[in-house]
Amino acid sequence: MSHRHLTGSDLHYGYERGVEVLRGADLDVAPGSRVALLGANGSGKSTLLQCLAGTLRPDAGDVSLDGRPIDRSRRGLRAHRQAVQLVFQDPDDQLFSADVAEDVAYGPVNLGLSATEVRERVDRALDLLHITNLRNRPTHQLSFGQRKRVAIAGAVAMRPCVLLLDEPTAGIDPCGVDALFDTLADLERAGTTVALSTHDTALALEWADSVAVMSAGVTRQDRPSIIFSDSGLLQQAHLKAPWLTTLARDLVLDGILPPDAAPTTPEQLRSALRSAAVDRPRTVPANSVMP
Ligand SMILES: Nc1ncnc2c1ncn2[C@@H]1O[C@H](COP(=O)(O)OP(=O)(O)O)[C@@H](O)[C@H]1O
Ligand SMILES: [Mg+2]
């Protein structure tokens, strides 16, 4: 598998006649980039991801892979859905086999792969998602977080070039989220480009190198530092700036950090504060006793 360039341009989609959910939405998932799609509940994130994955057909606009629009024949859609895997927000929309291994094997079996290749893909996917111990468990007995990992493993077993994850961190505990992002880094190294939807702006700031904000059926996509410093855009999209951006901005206003400081992780904030402290030696109060 290798990174590929997935784009959606000027997409329109409505579930009901006359009610458009997407009104000219774009998304650019460049090869090897990390794209976070942000938006309030009901803003159209899942709809946009389904259009990009080829599971919904937009009323207008183009979805392209490496610059070529999707071939909407049965064969073309099959090829697109194999290269671009979407993991639904709710794992129960995706899991239907009796046990975990069978569910993860479903896609590879449908590709007509040999039993050995299927087994190898299932083993690798279970290992990547740290769920080898669940291999023979009935899926309906698993916790929500476990079912979510099984659903992701099923997509990973298809060895996609682009993996679209719809709210992958919703309902997962903090350690589970860390483990998931370690897994995503492994997948990226193996040639899969990852885009995900979330309404967690802090997570998007820390993880993504490109952020798209969905509001009123359209998207605006840019670098995280640009998006998160646009308070008007965030307000319009009913999103809150990440705490790190707000704190860094206040520290700039207080003259503690230089105006160009734009930390995206707590480590970067700490390092910026350290540099600022070194650049500006502490003033010693007049009444202090010098050693
Ligand atoms: N299958 C459907 N039938 C009718 N309306 C739908 C369907 N799925 C989503 N919608 C509507 O489309 C809008 C966008 O939904 P969705 O894409 O799920 O938003 P998000 O993922 O950002 O929460 C919402 O108003 C939602 O009620
Ligand atoms: Mg959704």
Side-chain angles (χ1 to χ4, degrees):
M1 71 201 151
S2 57
H3 295 287
R4 293 179 75 181
H5 197 162
L6 177 67
T7 51
S9 8
D10 198 18
L11 298 174
H12 291 253
Y13 188 84
Y15 293 93
E16 296 158 51
R17 194 179 275 272
V19 187
E20 276 202 317
V21 172
L22 304 183
R23 301 177 192 170
D26 306 300
L27 195 70
D28 184 15
V29 185
S33 62
R34 295 174 165 184
V35 179
L37 173 61
L38 284 169
N41 284 335
S43 59
K45 301 181 295 297
S46 298
T47 305
L48 178 55
L49 291 181
Q50 287 179 71
C51 286
L52 284 163
T55 49
L56 284 182
R57 183 180 189 146
D59 302 324
D62 285 321
V63 174
S64 305
L65 201 54
D66 295 335
R68 273 188 300 279
I70 297 190
D71 164 4
R72 299 258 168 208
S73 68
R74 244 178 106 136
R75 213 160 140 206
L77 280 174
R78 204 175 138 95
H80 183 81
R81 289 181 195 145
Q82 189 185 328
V84 179
Q85 285 282 312
L86 169 64
V87 179
F88 288 109
Q89 194 168 334
D90 183 349
D92 298 331
D93 287 341
Q94 208 147 339
L95 305 179
F96 48 85
S97 301
D99 69 36
V100 169
E102 199 181 308
D103 221 298
V104 176
Y106 180 83
V109 167
N110 266 339
L111 288 180
L113 300 173
S114 70
T116 316
E117 170 79 6
V118 170
R119 166 109 195 163
E120 205 233 303
R121 285 189 179 212
V122 171
D123 288 350
R124 175 84 184 121
L126 295 178
D127 183 38
L128 268 168
L129 272 297
H130 311 291
I131 49 171
T132 302
N133 57 327
L134 303 179
R135 165 184 277 281
N136 298 315
R137 293 275 301 275
T139 44
H140 69 268
Q141 282 181 4
L142 304 178
S143 73
F144 180 81
Q146 289 172 328
R147 294 204 303 284
K148 213 145 176 159
R149 276 190 275 169
V150 175
I152 298 172
V156 165
M158 294 297 281
R159 309 251 161 111
C161 300
V162 181
L163 181 63
L164 304 174
L165 300 167
D166 199 357
E167 305 215 12
T169 59
I172 298 201
D173 62 45
C175 286
V177 171
D178 286 350
L180 174 64
F181 280 96
D182 286 346
T183 300
L184 296 185
D186 287 341
L187 289 171
E188 284 163 8
R189 279 189 286 275
T192 296
T193 297
V194 180
L196 55 85
S197 74
T198 177
H199 35 226
D200 186 339
T201 51
L203 181 139
L205 176 70
E206 199 162 331
W207 175 79
D209 43 42
S210 178
V211 171
V213 171
M214 180 101 206
S215 171
V218 294
T219 39
R220 188 165 137 223
Q221 185 169 359
D222 214 320
R223 291 202 311 276
S225 56
I226 307 237
I227 293 288
F228 293 131
S229 56
D230 188 337
S231 51
L233 173 72
L234 295 178
Q235 199 174 14
Q236 184 196 339
H238 304 289
L239 293 170
K240 275 174 81 171
W243 66 268
L244 197 68
T245 307
T246 309
L247 178 60
R249 187 204 54 206
D250 291 348
L251 290 169
V252 169
L253 289 175
D254 290 344
I256 294 168
L257 286 183
D260 59 350
T264 60
T265 63
E267 292 72 31
Q268 287 178 14
L269 174 63
R270 186 170 176 217
S271 155
L273 284 168
R274 272 211 184 130
S275 308
V278 170
D279 290 347
R280 184 160 30 131
R282 247 182 291 174
T283 47
V284 181
N287 60 354
S288 70
V289 181
M290 296 296 282

